[in-house]
Amino acid sequence: MTPTVTVRGLRKRYGHTAVLDGLDIAFGAGVTGLLGPNGAGKTTLLRCLATTLAPDAGELRVLGLDPATASGRTGVRRRLGYLPQDPGFYPHFTVFETLDYVAILKEMTDRRERHREVTRVLAEVGLADRARTKVRKLSGGMRQRLALAQALLDEPDLLVLDEPTVGLDPEQRLRLRALVSRLGESRTVLLSTHQTEDVAALCERVVVMDGGRILFDGTPAGLAAVAAGRVSLGDHRPGPGALFWRTADGRYRTIGDTPADAVPAEPTVEDGYLLLVGRTQEAA
Ligand SMILES: Nc1ncnc2c1ncn2[C@@H]1O[C@H](COP(=O)(O)OP(=O)(O)OP(=O)(O)O)[C@@H](O)[C@H]1O
Ligand SMILES: [Mg+2]
């Protein structure tokens, strides 16, 4: 892998809390998913890479540039598409105006070319028929698609997507998967999510973070394998202390120690994740 993003000794603290505590990682072309519980530091890491947050210490290299310098930040911003976790839009702008405005900020000066690009990204996210709708009149999922559309403007080399699938209906999630996997063929795509299915379907690499540290870095199959031999299905309710739920066919699926009468089940990415972040103990 030729890294397009390199992170060395990255530190960020808020008050006395270290959110990122000396993080080392590199990313190359392809789609990488970041998983981690609320507060794990995913947004903090992505914001440092997107140059909207200055780290306290550490070295970053993004697309061969150094975001610690003003010229490096400008250079990164020119080649970056960023979907923030909570994008703010002007409610009275229309969908088209919003994208046109971002495209102007992205230095697309030729009006006709810019409008063609706005029309292209609107079609990519399935919002072409909403071009004249005011942002305040959009549904939550449509607003999320608008946020994604602005990140796609001008075909960025690096896409940083903070929870891109939040609020999307199944059809739109599928559309997003197709779009992101196509982009990942030639570019670097980093996305954070809480949807382990997205990771299984979309990401060739998955990084699990918690407490500002990396707990796992590998393939989705490797993450599922963390739970190998620790997932089971049984007909009887497991005893207290086990993490289990009743499946649609009325059986009990247990993560952790296998109850006496249960049979092993195929582990999923979610099982591996849950075991890794130790939430099974907490839930018990
Ligand atoms: N501006 C801020 N001021 C103070 N603390 C902050 C600030 N931003 C984030 N934090 C803290 O930093 C930690 C990491 O937050 P971050 O947003 O990076 O987590 P996350 O992994 O993106 O979580 P989520 O899944 O909820 O989006 C949290 O404990 C959070 O409270
Ligand atoms: Mg976040």
Side-chain angles (χ1 to χ4, degrees), residues 23-106:
L23 199 74
D24 295 299
I25 195 160
F27 304 102
V31 185
T32 302
L34 275 183
L35 283 177
N38 293 137
K42 303 180 296 296
T43 296
T44 306
L45 170 63
L46 295 180
R47 287 189 62 203
C48 289
L49 299 179
T51 75
T52 64
L53 186 67
D56 297 332
E59 277 173 46
L60 293 179
R61 277 266 146 195
V62 182
L63 302 166
L65 298 157
D66 181 1
T69 66
S71 63
R73 283 193 293 279
T74 306
V76 170
R77 286 168 194 167
R78 285 194 172 124
R79 295 170 59 196
L80 167 80
Y82 176 43
L83 167 66
Q85 188 165 2
D86 42 12
F89 292 121
Y90 294 113
H92 297 291
F93 274 27
T94 67
V95 165
F96 193 95
E97 285 163 351
T98 301
L99 292 174
D100 198 37
Y101 177 67
V102 177
I104 290 170
L105 295 179
K106 285 196 168 181

Side-chain angles (χ1 to χ4, degrees), residues 239-259:
L243 178 77
F244 67 88
W245 64 92
R246 199 159 174 264
T247 61
D249 64 0
R251 303 184 80 197
Y252 293 92
R253 194 167 193 280
T254 307
I255 304 179
D257 297 332
T258 305

Side-chain angles (χ1 to χ4, degrees), residues 87-98 127 130-144 146:
F89 292 121
Y90 294 113
H92 297 291
F93 274 27
T94 67
V95 165
F96 193 95
E97 285 163 351
T98 301
L127 277 183
R130 295 283 172 164
R132 295 186 191 294
T133 306
K134 294 238 197 268
V135 168
R136 69 184 157 85
K137 293 190 178 169
L138 294 177
S139 74
M142 289 175 191
R143 206 166 300 147
Q144 182 70 1
L146 174 59

Side-chain angles (χ1 to χ4, degrees), residues 31 165 176-178 180-181 191 197-205:
V31 185
T165 53
L176 178 110
R177 282 180 190 174
V180 168
S181 58
L191 61 90
E197 315 95 88
D198 288 339
V199 167
L202 188 63
C203 301
E204 52 217 80
R205 180 175 169 203

Side-chain angles (χ1 to χ4, degrees), residues 118-169:
V118 168
T119 307
R120 180 187 72 85
V121 297
L122 275 176
E124 289 271 34
V125 301
L127 277 183
D129 59 342
R130 295 283 172 164
R132 295 186 191 294
T133 306
K134 294 238 197 268
V135 168
R136 69 184 157 85
K137 293 190 178 169
L138 294 177
S139 74
M142 289 175 191
R143 206 166 300 147
Q144 182 70 1
R145 277 145 64 194
L146 174 59
L148 178 68
Q150 63 78 31
L152 299 174
L153 282 167
D154 208 18
E155 313 216 358
D157 297 321
L158 171 64
L159 266 175
V160 175
L161 308 175
D162 203 346
E163 302 201 22
T165 53
V166 161
L168 298 187
D169 66 41

